[in-house]
Amino acid sequence: QVQLVESGGGSVQSGGSLRLSCVVSGFMYRRYCMGWFRQAPGKEREGVIAISSDGSRRYVGSVKGRFTISLDNAKKTLFLQMNNLKPEDTAMYYCAADMRTCSGSWKSVTEYNDWGQGAQVTVSS
């Protein structure tokens, strides 16, 4: 099992950018699916974007062209670059990891073993 710690959240105006980081402590899985989820008040946690050890990336349509996920293996850090942020992106963001490559169910919270504590992102109009 690994521990995940997010950082980089904050408040920005619509159209602004933020980068979230998620540091992995412990060992890195050889095979993995690592993703970012978000949860707005009163809503369910939803998968936003993910990266797999097979090189594939997955994302939901609402963030296409705006969010980018990357992984620095040497630093054991997962990043989420968010550009052109919108008020509807406001949520608590969580990184998550699983020891299998991403599947068609990558957006499901039940697919992941490990979770970070969350980082708040607030976008004002």
Side-chain angles (χ1 to χ4, degrees):
Q1 192 171 5
V2 301
Q3 290 185 328
L4 307 175
V5 178
E6 299 101 334
S7 62
S11 297
V12 295
Q13 291 190 330
S14 183
S17 298
L18 281 174
R19 189 176 79 158
L20 301 182
S21 301
C22 174
V23 177
V24 181
S25 64
F27 62 90
M28 280 290 292
Y29 297 131
R30 178 171 297 182
R31 294 185 180 87
Y32 57 81
C33 181
M34 297 192 73
W36 289 96
F37 284 70
R38 65 187 179 188
Q39 187 167 19
K43 294 188 176 181
E44 293 187 354
R45 192 172 297 188
E46 62 171 356
V48 176
I49 195 168
I51 186 170
S52 184
S53 53
D54 63 6
S56 64
R57 288 169 167 80
R58 318 288 179 100
Y59 52 87
V60 295
S62 61
V63 305
K64 182 180 180 180
R66 301 189 300 121
F67 289 14
T68 303
I69 189 171
S70 60
L71 177 65
D72 186 327
N73 278 291
K75 296 181 179 179
K76 295 199 297 184
T77 302
L78 182 72
F79 297 101
L80 176 63
Q81 178 66 44
M82 302 181 290
N83 298 327
N84 190 21
L85 282 160
K86 304 175 181 181
E88 51 264 42
D89 295 318
T90 295
M92 185 72 79
Y93 283 72
Y94 300 88
C95 64
D98 187 68
M99 64 180 68
R100 300 166 293 180
T101 55
C102 295
S103 70
S105 302
W106 69 272
K107 290 184 289 183
S108 173
V109 297
T110 60
E111 290 292 295
Y112 298 83
N113 293 314
D114 308 298
W115 291 86
Q117 83 287 354
Q120 178 66 39
V121 171
T122 303
V123 185
S124 58
S125 58

